[in-house]
Amino acid sequence: MNEMLEPGMIVRHPGAPEWGEGQVQSRIGDRITVNFLEAGKQVIDGKRVSLDIVWLQGN
């Protein structure tokens, strides 16, 4: 599902719900940079974690 991620989308990390919602900043290959409300900027390995989409940009 990470292949669908684009900058601006709002996501959650299923293994770290305490991070809150985050906005995708970039996705380069399997490296996804997300700015989370409670954890700041995090680089996620898309091979290991499938982020949950909260809403798509433009919705």
Side-chain angles (χ1 to χ4, degrees):
M1 174 158 336
N2 288 334
E3 302 82 33
M4 296 176 49
L5 296 177
E6 295 181 8
M9 290 181 171
I10 304 299
V11 297
R12 287 194 180 112
H13 188 303
E18 67 277 8
W19 289 3
E21 294 180 353
Q23 184 178 45
V24 176
Q25 303 297 300
S26 67
R27 181 179 60 85
I28 301 171
D30 290 317
R31 291 175 51 99
I32 306 157
T33 303
V34 182
N35 189 18
F36 289 97
L37 289 173
E38 302 297 330
K41 182 177 167 182
Q42 302 290 326
V43 179
I44 308 296
D45 180 354
K47 289 181 181 178
R48 295 177 165 234
V49 177
S50 181
L51 297 170
D52 297 328
I53 297 174
V54 176
W55 61 267
L56 305 174
Q57 186 174 14
N59 285 351

